[in-house]
Amino acid sequence: MIPRSFPPAPGGSPDGHRIKATLDYGRGPEKTWVYGALRPRDGHELTMTASCRNSIAYQRFLQVMERDNPDGEIVVVTDNLSSHRSVSTRAWLEEHPRIRQVFIPVGACWLNLQEGWWRIFRKAALAGQTFADPDEIEAATLLATAQLNARARPWLWGRPAPPTRKLRRRFVYFL
């Protein structure tokens, strides 16, 4: 996330579509990354913001995750980002045997339940917002995470079976 330095364009376009603000992209100290973890068993989500996306920030997030889950094994399903596979991260994971990393195949992000939660999170915390600084992004992240955790339910992979339809009338023809 990058804080915008200008408000989005007002009004609509002649063809009836919403006018989209141009992207304000840049590399610098104002950039904020949001890390997240989903516990499918009860739907609890954990988020953390960081100013960079490197091995140190990722290991700090793993520590937050370990504190939030004090008992049992922790299986982290993650993508193939270089900070997840770095030498320092692998050394950190060797010192914390409770945490086990499983990498999803390249190009198959739909296998990760977290991706569905990110869609809901972005809509609740970030959609339509204009942030002045990284602190506002962090406040929006904490608020949305707390609100979503208040109504969390277990996550299941897949789609539920369609309901069976009862016929209203059954016609019987006699010959």
Side-chain angles (χ1 to χ4, degrees), residues 1 24 31 38 40 49 56 97 108 132 136 138 143 149 166:
M1 311 278 4
D24 184 13
K31 185 169 264 202
L38 172 68
T49 58
I56 296 167
E136 288 186 9
E138 184 173 4
L143 179 64
N149 281 338
K166 289 187 176 182

Side-chain angles (χ1 to χ4, degrees), residues 100-133:
R100 186 169 55 106
Q101 244 180 333
V102 177
F103 295 99
I104 58 174
V106 174
C109 67
W110 52 269
L111 289 174
N112 193 348
L113 286 176
Q114 177 73 17
E115 296 297 331
W117 192 90
W118 277 121
R119 181 180 168 273
I120 295 167
F121 173 79
R122 282 192 303 268
K123 187 176 177 183
L126 309 173
Q129 300 287 332
T130 301
F131 301 104
D133 58 11

Side-chain angles (χ1 to χ4, degrees), residues 16-50:
H17 290 92
R18 177 177 60 90
I19 294 177
K20 298 178 182 171
T22 58
L23 293 176
D24 184 13
Y25 179 78
R27 295 177 184 257
E30 74 278 353
K31 185 169 264 202
T32 300
W33 297 96
V34 180
Y35 287 87
L38 172 68
R39 192 168 52 207
R41 176 183 65 235
D42 60 1
H44 178 78
E45 179 70 23
L46 181 67
T47 55
M48 180 190 90
T49 58

Side-chain angles (χ1 to χ4, degrees), residues 37-114:
L38 172 68
R39 192 168 52 207
R41 176 183 65 235
D42 60 1
H44 178 78
E45 179 70 23
L46 181 67
T47 55
M48 180 190 90
T49 58
S51 60
C52 56
R53 192 171 74 165
N54 60 13
S55 297
I56 296 167
Y58 180 62
Q59 291 164 24
R60 195 172 73 229
F61 180 64
L62 289 174
Q63 289 172 347
V64 170
M65 200 179 343
E66 190 174 32
R67 275 195 309 269
D68 193 56
N69 299 287
D71 300 324
E73 182 183 27
I74 300 171
V75 178
V76 179
V77 179
T78 186
D79 57 10
N80 293 292
L81 192 64
S82 62
S83 61
H84 301 164
R85 293 182 166 272
S86 70
V87 174
S88 65
T89 299
R90 286 185 294 192
W92 188 91
L93 287 169
E94 284 180 12
E95 296 171 5
H96 298 82
R98 271 190 342 122
I99 300 177
R100 186 169 55 106
Q101 244 180 333
V102 177
F103 295 99
I104 58 174
V106 174
C109 67
W110 52 269
L111 289 174
N112 193 348
L113 286 176
Q114 177 73 17

